[in-house]
Amino acid sequence: MEFRFHIGSLILLAEGAAYDREARTLFVADLHIGKSTIFREAGLAIPDGPDETNLARLSSLVTGTKVKTLFILGDVFHARARGVERTLADWHERHPKLRCCVVPGNHDRRIPWREWLPAAEILREGECVGAMRVAHFPPEKSDVLTLCGHLHPGIAIGRPRQRKLRLPCFWQRRNALVLPAFGEFTGLQIIDREPGDQVWIPVGGMVAEVAWGNRDA
Amino acid sequence: MPRPKPKVHTALSRRASAWFASRGWKPLPFQREVWDAYERGESGLIHAPTGLGKTLAAWMGPVLENDDRGGLCVLWITPLRALAADTVRSLQEPLDGLGIAAKVEARTGDTSSSARARQKAKPPFALVTTPESLSLMLTDETRVAQLKGLRAVIVDEWHELLGSKRGVQTELCLARLRALQPKLQIWGLSATIGNLDEAMRVLLGSRAGDGRMIHGKDRKRIEVETLMPADVETFPWSGHLGVKLVGTVIERIDAAQTTLLFTNTRSQTEIWFQELLSARPDWSDVLAMHHSSIDRADREVTEQRLRDGTVKCVVCTSSLDLGVDFSPVEQVMQVGSPKGIARLLQRAGRSGHRPGAVSRVLGVPTNALELIEFSAAREAMDARRIEVRRPVQKPLDLLAQHVVTVALGGGFFEEEMLAEIRSTHAFATITDEEWKWVLTFVTTGGALHAYPQYRKVTRDENGLHRLTDERMARVHRMNIGTIVAAAGVALRMKNGRSVGSVEEWFIAGIKPGKCFIFGGRCWELVRVYGLVATVQAPAKKKARGEIPSWQGGKSPLSSELSAAVGEKLLRFREGPADRSPEMLKVAPILRVQAKWSIVPRPDELLIEQTTTRDGHHVYIYAFAGRLVNGALGTLVGYRLGKAAPLTLRVTPNDYGVELHGSTPFELTADEWRELLSPDDLLEDVLASVNAAELGRHHFREIARVAGLIMSGSPGAPPTMKTLQASSGLLYDVFARYDPANLLLEQSQREVLERQMDFTRLRETMEAMQHRTIILKNCERLTPLAFPLWADRIAHSVDTEDPAATLARMLEELEIAAR
């Protein structure tokens, strides 16, 4: 589903990314690379795979949309785990023309970007990008539309007292547009909707707005 | 090999008898038999009903065997830590009486760390512990060294552990202890169950061949009396909360010193408590309530008051089935279906809890058909046809946990460990592949991949498997003891005082400011934050509240009791005449059933088809218990839907299942037989219930036991926060990247067993092939059908006023029946 803000055009993709066609830019948030590795280091036998899948999904998005710039809105890595130092840098080398911009998130505090992602531009929280801002944390208030992540927003659909279907979603409150977590194996946080909020969920390859009237329990 | 016949009693037995005599008691023959067997170094199972002196039978052997009591000599395993304090008292008493300076202490989750440290430095003669705490002891090398000196392990209430995963945990721990001390004597104590021989085989594992089974002669009389409704015509045909007999119940409570009023669910407990209190407000100080959601401190107060005899009546659920050795209970009542013979027997045993005393239980039926159940239960009880408890087979999550435990408590060599594991009943048939899988799961992180970062259990150059990482050791210890699923939402008052717990979905349905009944009191919900709900006394004096209905409270009618009910119906139809008061009472209703349809025999499968104002109904009476009947209905619905899409509602009870649809069913007996065929059963069941979703939901328990989830404790270091993931998320990752993971399959298997009693479903469907299908087209709902119809209406959300619909329908039927 395509919709327009008062600035340019942003398209929400069912893959969990935002796409600016005119600026040829792609926005994703919360990859959490290395999460399964961290678990295994701690003695929890989680299989490998999510990282590879996540980066493959990102590759096909980048090539499919032919974007020139990729913004990652924080929590690129889950933690500073051994064995994932080169994961993203190797991926970036496979997309040499792609400009990669990163807003570090709370999980990224100890990441040595120069070694782990040498070709990337590291941005400050709330940096201006055209008429918008990019951030990891959803701002309390903002003068212009801010694309952000951090929350892993999701909604639960279903009748009261029954097991609910939980889905990741895009969530806009005032000027903050929160992207769903791009990485799989990241989990959801069910949002508390308020009147005026807008919510979109991926449905069959599309993104559909969830009307306020259909509020789940 | 013939065993020596013990004609002459051993020295030990003579000493024990002398001590008995000094107290004015006379040992029972089975007690002497146990003492003789103990002195000969044997192991085995002691079977006797509650209150016959099993404890002393098992205890006097280790106490008197010789005078060397250095170090830890005896472990006494109890299923409930709440029982530990009572057990310590009753074990210490004979030691003191004999003037033996030896101590019995408790070691459970409640034991303070200072007491634990003291026990570790200077172990007492005996420890009373739970399977979880024993498992925890096995993670500590110093402890393990002490356990090598053990002489005896006694497993109390083994029938309770058998059939659960905690039973398997016990089996694994016993195998470990046997490996540490080959001469260890193991004795189990069990109440009556249908498979005692198997119970002993499970307890003793590969050494079961030498085991001795000792039966306490069951001279204890058990009487079942049923409270009779004055007029069965006006007695409800259905319902399970009925309080119609509350007046008579109050008379009986009044006449007795103390009463335990057992119910089947926690909600029923709350309802009966309210009813009794509103009828007798003067009892507010002597009426108490006990169920597993009530805060433990409050429950302990109630238990103590029972011991002191300062309470007149306790309304309770199965939380009081076990232990708590209070003798003053004069009367036991059972409200609603007894559900099982062993259960009624155990509850009856709560009265007259002394050798030689008569145990009595007073049945309080809440609907007409329960009259049959009480009568059937009495007959089965007299014939000692008691339920079987099936042991759990090969739960790999527990094995993974245990292997890490052993790696932590000194380490193991692969070959020896496998032999030890195979010496248990649960893992006797574990294949080399399964074992390899578990071993790689804890060493390299998975059979498919070897992950370099993964280091849990490591193997040194000599082949010794150990876990040395301190952090992982701590996490593992924290995870042990979480086999029992976590409680729901904790209820607390504003000052932090704990009230109890309820299930999440119940509290989710209540808005802050609204009231609900819990623990016999009305509470107003203030707020819910995370897994804590804050409550306060309601502002209004006469506030009315909703009563929570807990899930999982409804256990199905056991196979044995179902069969006994079936026989009762057979006798009604074909004689000889049944003169039991319950059957005489219920006869008019069964005659209506016979007139409008048929009273089915056990070799018949009755299917009734009816059309009413609200649609078309089919009733299938498999008499297989609620879970199986429900699964059967869902399965038939699925198979019908394969031919043509349709919408069905499935409502089961213990006798049968209703299928309700908007179009007529119009099937022949042959077509029904086809639909009820056991072919492709597993496949169709998996497809009919969305087993993947169920398995995903159930995975939390398995993931926690297998050590895939950190049990997040308050105050955990921040590094732990990066290690949080929901079990659903883990399930998805495994399903996608490691679909051959054996834990996924286990999750599905367990959920099928737990949610629909799959083994019993298969047996039921296979047996059904040999039953004659009787297809009846009925003009109206029969007495067997009505309860099912009413259940659906009562639980239907779309009906405007279920109570009114129900009353009208019942009235019409009763008029028609006259």
Side-chain angles (χ1 to χ4, degrees):
Chain A
M1 172 184 180
E2 188 166 340
F3 65 94
R4 284 168 198 284
F5 286 112
H6 52 285
I7 30 101
S9 65
L10 263 187
I11 301 172
L12 304 185
L13 301 175
E15 288 84 352
Y19 168 44
D20 188 330
R21 189 180 283 164
E22 282 161 28
R24 294 181 71 184
T25 309
L26 193 68
F27 301 89
V28 295
D30 299 283
L31 264 60
H32 289 268
I33 289 168
K35 184 165 174 184
S36 56
T37 314
I38 285 278
F39 272 60
R40 284 195 301 279
E41 250 182 42
L44 305 168
I46 311 296
D48 211 350
D51 285 352
E52 216 172 295
T53 311
N54 290 337
L55 291 176
R57 283 168 58 225
L58 195 56
S59 283
S60 63
L61 256 186
V62 163
T63 45
T65 54
K66 300 194 182 72
V67 290
K68 290 196 287 195
T69 313
L70 169 71
F71 282 88
I72 309 180
L73 310 178
D75 291 356
V76 184
F77 294 96
H78 187 66
R80 193 169 168 175
R82 271 169 301 170
V84 295
E85 299 88 347
R86 292 291 308 160
T87 309
L88 200 58
D90 288 348
W91 177 86
H92 197 195
E93 277 171 19
R94 291 200 294 274
H95 302 274
K97 286 187 183 152
L98 183 72
R99 176 175 162 235
C100 187
C101 304
V102 170
V103 184
N106 49 317
H107 278 266
D108 299 318
R109 284 200 187 104
R110 296 173 57 231
I111 303 299
W113 296 106
R114 274 189 199 178
E115 295 151 43
W116 284 34
L117 194 55
E121 294 165 38
I122 306 301
L123 309 181
R124 277 175 301 122
E125 178 80 6
E127 188 117 23
C128 283
V129 176
M132 298 185 297
R133 289 180 188 277
V134 286
H136 175 61
F137 300 97
E140 280 287 305
K141 51 180 162 187
S142 169
D143 50 346
V144 294
L145 182 75
T146 303
L147 288 182
C148 50
H150 182 61
L151 291 180
H152 304 199
I155 59 168
I157 299 172
R159 297 168 85 181
R161 300 190 178 190
Q162 284 185 357
R163 200 166 291 158
K164 295 185 171 61
L165 181 64
R166 295 155 62 91
L167 290 171
C169 67
F170 294 89
W171 176 34
Q172 192 193 5
R173 174 170 292 177
R174 293 182 285 278
N175 262 339
L177 175 61
V178 189
L179 304 188
F182 186 81
E184 53 177 47
F185 191 39
T186 49
L188 291 183
Q189 188 179 326
I190 302 301
I191 60 173
D192 264 333
R193 271 196 281 175
E194 278 177 15
D197 288 2
Q198 274 181 292
V199 170
W200 299 267
I201 53 170
V203 182
M206 306 252 301
V207 170
E209 179 163 3
V210 182
W212 181 249
N214 301 342
R215 219 195 115 122
D216 47 284
Chain B
M1 192 184 75
R3 289 205 185 86
K5 280 233 162 93
K7 285 239 166 57
V8 181
H9 287 298
T10 58
L12 190 155
S13 174
R14 284 195 300 274
R15 289 175 70 185
S17 304
W19 179 67
F20 264 53
S22 74
R23 318 236 10 192
W25 302 340
K26 197 175 175 312
L28 295 166
F30 89 93
Q31 291 173 319
R32 304 206 75 163
E33 211 183 318
V34 175
W35 298 331
D36 290 338
Y38 186 84
E39 182 137 47
R40 287 193 301 272
E42 295 180 359
S43 295
L45 189 73
I46 305 166
H47 154 238
T50 320
L52 205 67
K54 278 192 299 246
T55 304
L56 286 177
W59 181 232
M60 296 315 283
V63 164
L64 292 172
E65 78 179 316
N66 60 34
D67 293 328
D68 173 25
R69 295 186 188 86
L72 180 62
C73 298
V74 189
L75 278 184
W76 188 282
I77 301 174
T78 168
L80 281 181
R81 65 179 180 189
L83 299 184
D86 277 347
T87 309
V88 166
R89 254 196 305 274
S90 61
L91 297 184
Q92 186 69 54
E93 200 187 303
L95 285 170
D96 294 346
L98 284 157
I100 297 170
K103 279 263 163 251
V104 183
E105 290 176 21
R107 167 70 172 87
T108 68
D110 299 332
T111 312
S112 69
S113 55
S114 63
R116 269 181 279 169
R118 198 184 60 236
Q119 287 167 359
K120 190 168 158 180
K122 191 175 174 303
F125 171 65
L127 275 181
V128 176
T129 188
T130 59
E132 291 82 7
S133 286
L134 173 55
S135 197
L136 206 50
M137 279 191 250
L138 291 175
T139 65
D140 183 330
E141 274 196 80
T142 323
R143 285 284 201 182
V144 170
Q146 287 171 358
L147 291 170
K148 285 183 182 159
L150 272 187
R151 295 203 217 126
V153 179
I154 289 134
V155 186
D156 206 351
E157 314 255 20
W158 174 232
H159 58 281
E160 278 298 325
L161 288 169
L162 184 75
S164 73
K165 281 168 114 177
R166 297 175 75 218
V168 179
Q169 188 176 36
T170 311
E171 285 181 59
L172 287 166
C173 288
L174 290 176
R176 185 89 278 262
L177 294 176
R178 279 196 303 262
L180 292 170
Q181 173 49 267
K183 285 204 291 206
L184 184 71
Q185 288 178 255
I186 296 169
W187 285 89
L189 311 183
S190 174
T192 309
I193 50 173
N195 53 335
L196 281 168
D197 289 326
E198 188 176 36
M200 183 168 84
R201 283 202 304 278
V202 175
L203 180 74
L204 300 181
S206 59
R207 293 209 315 209
D210 304 326
R212 179 173 287 270
M213 175 81 73
I214 293 173
H215 298 276
K217 185 131 183 264
D218 192 357
R219 286 174 309 187
K220 194 161 163 177
R221 291 224 330 273
I222 291 169
E223 290 172 5
V224 181
E225 187 198 339
T226 311
L227 276 191
M228 290 293 168
D231 180 8
V232 80
E233 266 79 26
T234 60
F235 198 61
W237 284 11
S238 80
H240 40 79
L241 302 175
V243 285
K244 195 126 184 163
L245 290 173
V246 73
T248 329
V249 167
I250 284 174
E251 279 168 30
R252 294 295 191 107
I253 294 175
D254 216 3
Q257 199 70 37
T258 41
T259 302
L260 285 184
L261 186 83
F262 279 104
T263 66
N264 287 329
T265 62
R266 285 168 280 178
S267 332
Q268 219 175 6
T269 305
E270 298 277 359
I271 289 166
W272 273 83
F273 187 83
Q274 293 300 322
E275 284 293 327
L276 293 178
L277 206 56
S278 65
R280 290 295 297 262
D282 55 314
W283 280 358
S284 64
D285 290 335
V286 289
L287 198 60
M289 180 185 320
H290 196 288
H291 63 64
S292 59
S293 291
I294 290 178
D295 189 66
R296 200 146 55 86
D298 293 342
R299 276 185 273 156
E300 277 165 10
V301 169
T302 304
E303 286 162 21
Q304 191 53 47
R305 289 183 64 194
L306 265 173
R307 274 185 218 103
D308 304 343
T310 59
V311 62
K312 188 155 191 65
C313 172
V314 180
V315 188
C316 54
T317 61
S318 51
S319 61
L320 267 187
D321 273 352
L322 275 188
V324 196
D325 235 338
F326 37 75
S327 37
V329 178
E330 187 182 327
Q331 173 170 264
V332 168
M333 296 197 197
Q334 164 68 38
V335 171
S337 166
K339 296 290 182 186
I341 298 146
R343 177 161 153 155
L344 194 61
L345 203 59
Q346 183 149 31
R347 291 183 170 183
R350 291 267 137 236
S351 74
H353 199 166
R354 273 287 144 90
V358 180
S359 289
R360 299 181 71 241
V361 60
L362 190 59
V364 183
T366 54
N367 66 49
L369 295 177
E370 280 170 3
L371 285 164
I372 309 176
E373 292 176 28
F374 279 112
S375 177
R378 180 194 300 121
E379 250 170 46
M381 214 182 255
D382 290 345
R384 288 290 180 270
R385 270 181 310 181
I386 315 293
E387 282 85 5
V388 163
R389 296 250 174 140
R390 290 192 181 102
V392 177
Q393 285 296 312
K394 282 202 273 192
L396 296 182
D397 55 342
L398 260 180
L399 183 58
Q401 187 188 69
H402 182 73
V403 167
V404 176
T405 294
V406 178
L408 199 48
F412 63 86
F413 294 100
E414 187 180 341
E415 288 297 309
E416 283 170 23
M417 191 65 192
L418 178 57
E420 182 181 318
I421 298 296
R422 281 192 174 140
S423 78
T424 66
H425 183 270
F427 295 101
T429 60
I430 189 172
T431 63
D432 287 347
E433 286 74 34
E434 285 164 330
W435 165 248
K436 277 282 176 216
W437 186 87
V438 170
L439 197 61
T440 49
F441 180 75
V442 301
T443 50
T444 60
L448 283 175
H449 329 265
Y451 299 117
Q453 314 92 343
Y454 186 83
R455 299 161 72 66
K456 196 167 198 168
V457 175
T458 52
R459 186 174 184 274
D460 71 12
E461 63 275 18
N462 301 317
L464 183 68
H465 288 77
R466 303 208 51 173
L467 194 163
T468 48
D469 185 299
E470 253 319 301
R471 194 171 71 133
M472 285 183 205
R474 213 168 48 238
V475 169
H476 179 73
R477 290 196 180 103
M478 260 163 56
N479 265 334
I480 292 183
T482 49
I483 295 185
V484 184
V489 174
L491 297 178
R492 280 186 212 285
M493 285 161 58
K494 275 179 172 166
N495 60 14
R497 189 186 172 290
S498 171
V499 177
S501 64
V502 288
E503 293 193 0
E504 206 174 344
W505 69 267
F506 171 75
I507 212 79
I510 294 184
K511 291 202 172 72
K514 293 281 180 220
C515 295
F516 63 98
I517 308 277
F518 182 86
R521 289 187 57 185
C522 192
W523 299 97
E524 181 187 325
L525 182 65
V526 180
R527 65 175 164 267
V528 182
Y529 184 75
L531 288 177
V532 176
T534 309
V535 296
Q536 64 184 15
K540 276 182 290 177
K541 266 275 176 309
K542 291 267 177 198
R544 289 187 64 83
E546 197 180 336
I547 289 179
S549 110
W550 283 270
Q551 287 166 332
K554 289 179 187 164
S555 50
L557 198 70
S558 74
S559 305
E560 288 74 5
L561 189 50
S562 300
V565 167
E567 280 165 35
K568 281 279 172 190
L569 296 180
L570 174 68
R571 260 185 84 182
F572 174 83
R573 192 163 125 186
E574 300 186 346
D578 193 331
R579 310 300 305 172
S580 76
E582 294 88 355
M583 292 309 284
L584 290 174
K585 200 74 179 175
V586 81
I589 290 180
L590 290 180
R591 278 197 288 273
V592 171
Q593 174 72 30
K595 196 164 100 192
W596 292 356
S597 168
I598 192 172
V599 173
R601 291 192 319 216
D603 61 347
E604 292 168 342
L605 177 68
L606 172 63
I607 300 177
E608 291 175 355
Q609 304 187 123
T610 316
T611 299
T612 66
R613 243 174 287 177
D614 68 325
H616 303 274
H617 316 260
V618 167
Y619 298 92
I620 306 168
Y621 304 104
F623 287 89
R626 173 183 301 274
L627 295 179
V628 167
N629 285 333
L632 204 64
T634 311
L635 181 71
V636 168
Y638 170 77
R639 286 177 175 174
L640 277 171
K642 272 205 291 200
L646 81 172
T647 324
L648 280 185
R649 281 198 65 161
V650 175
T651 313
N653 69 9
D654 281 326
Y655 294 179
V657 58
E658 182 201 54
L659 301 178
H660 172 243
S662 48
T663 48
F665 288 85
E666 288 168 353
L667 294 160
T668 64
D670 283 340
E671 284 166 326
W672 277 113
R673 186 173 298 287
E674 182 100 342
L675 280 170
L676 294 166
S677 147
D679 298 344
D680 302 324
L681 181 60
L682 181 62
E683 208 180 345
D684 285 356
V685 162
L686 288 176
S688 71
V689 295
N690 190 1
E693 183 53 37
L694 284 179
R696 185 177 190 267
H697 198 70
H698 180 69
F699 194 60
R700 179 204 285 253
E701 180 184 317
I702 287 179
R704 207 190 293 143
V705 173
L708 288 169
I709 292 184
M710 301 271 185
S711 39
S713 59
T719 47
M720 297 273 284
K721 298 243 162 66
T722 57
L723 295 170
Q724 301 292 340
S726 75
S727 54
L729 201 52
L730 290 178
Y731 185 90
D732 292 344
V733 170
F734 278 109
R736 175 142 188 208
Y737 298 107
D738 189 7
N741 192 303
L742 295 180
L743 296 179
L744 296 178
E745 191 238 311
Q746 188 193 332
S747 184
Q748 216 167 63
R749 191 156 42 96
E750 275 182 18
V751 83
L752 286 184
E753 219 34 80
R754 212 168 290 186
Q755 300 234 335
M756 57 184 63
D757 214 342
F758 188 74
T759 310
R760 189 171 168 192
L761 174 67
R762 185 189 291 281
E763 287 165 4
T764 304
M765 297 195 72
E766 277 162 4
M768 222 177 251
Q769 294 304 298
H770 309 290
R771 283 157 88 169
T772 315
I773 290 183
I774 312 266
L775 200 55
K776 288 277 178 192
N777 286 306
C778 302
E779 273 176 54
R780 15 181 132 72
L781 296 171
T782 63
L784 281 179
F786 181 74
L788 285 162
W789 181 87
D791 261 4
R792 176 172 53 80
I793 296 295
H795 293 127
S796 167
V797 278
D798 6 86
T799 312
E800 278 161 46
D801 185 1
T805 318
L806 207 90
R808 174 180 54 78
M809 198 74 187
L810 185 58
E811 207 170 306
E812 284 174 18
L813 286 171
E814 278 170 354
I815 290 165
R818 279 188 195 131

